[in-house]
Amino acid sequence: MASAPSSCAKSVEVMLNRSWAKLNLRSEKVTNWIRLVCARLGVRLHLLKRRVITWLNPPYRTIEVDGSLPSQLKKNTLYIVAEDGFQEQAAMLCPCGCAQILHLNLLPDERPVWRVLRNRDGTTSLRPSVWRKRGCHSHFWFRDSRVIWVNDLHK
Ligand SMILES: [Zn+2]
């Protein structure tokens, strides 16, 4: 009878060790699972962030028009006016929302002059930046069909 408590204690110890081992194994599995989920979630969060940025700052469409601008300009659209095959001006609604039409000269013998760059991926860029000296004083770059505010570049 004297050995009963010790054998009981031993079996309890064995049980505890097994439980501890299982617990450790489980906690390792749980930790790995959490790491995996976080890694996947991290990637998803990254994609979500990009989507939100794209949604908040959608790329512009570039439309080439012959001769003259339409009477109503659409938002998020860069118009390139060409006549006889020569690009004369680019135009867009001011991206600040002030509803002013920005006319950007593309004729090289007049100043100021902008260059339209058509990128391989179908996007458009303008050079140099657009800086309104009057009105809303917007200052932005138009790169890869997106408006990049100059203030944002310095943040
Ligand atoms: Zn403006």
Side-chain angles (χ1 to χ4, degrees), residues 21 75 101 107 139:
K75 280 172 73 180
I101 298 172
L107 296 170
H139 189 194

Side-chain angles (χ1 to χ4, degrees), residues 11-155:
S11 66
V12 165
E13 194 186 323
V14 167
M15 250 171 58
L16 276 176
N17 279 343
R18 278 185 192 158
S19 299
W20 183 245
K22 272 186 189 172
L23 203 71
N24 271 345
L25 192 70
R26 268 193 205 150
S27 80
E28 198 179 311
K29 277 184 182 172
V30 167
T31 307
N32 284 341
W33 182 78
I34 289 171
R35 270 195 202 126
L36 194 76
V37 167
C38 283
R40 285 193 182 158
L41 219 72
V43 168
R44 284 192 187 142
L45 281 177
H46 177 70
L47 289 175
L48 189 71
K49 196 174 151 192
R50 274 175 60 182
R51 278 193 190 164
V52 168
I53 288 169
T54 306
W55 180 66
L56 290 173
N57 184 19
Y60 274 54
R61 283 173 301 164
T62 300
I63 296 178
E64 289 195 31
V65 291
D66 200 39
S68 62
L69 283 169
S71 56
Q72 289 265 311
L73 300 195
K74 289 179 182 167
K75 280 172 73 180
N76 291 336
T77 308
L78 177 74
Y79 295 86
I80 296 170
V81 182
E83 197 157 338
D84 301 324
F86 287 100
Q87 294 180 341
E88 292 185 341
Q89 67 161 309
M92 67 197 306
L93 289 172
C94 182
C96 88
C98 71
Q100 287 297 304
I101 298 172
L102 308 180
H103 298 273
L104 309 166
N105 169 53
L106 302 176
L107 296 170
D109 49 351
E110 287 177 26
R111 294 286 181 274
V113 60
W114 280 266
R115 273 183 59 206
V116 174
L117 305 160
R118 304 305 292 262
N119 304 314
R120 281 186 190 166
D121 61 0
T123 59
T124 307
S125 301
L126 286 172
R127 271 194 207 148
S129 67
V130 179
W131 194 353
R132 295 197 68 206
K133 303 291 182 190
R134 286 175 283 154
C136 65
H137 295 272
S138 284
H139 189 194
F140 62 90
W141 285 90
F142 189 78
R143 276 191 208 147
D144 305 331
S145 295
R146 284 174 197 280
V147 168
I148 300 164
W149 295 98
V150 168
N151 288 342
D152 291 345
L153 288 174
H154 305 301
K155 275 179 189 168

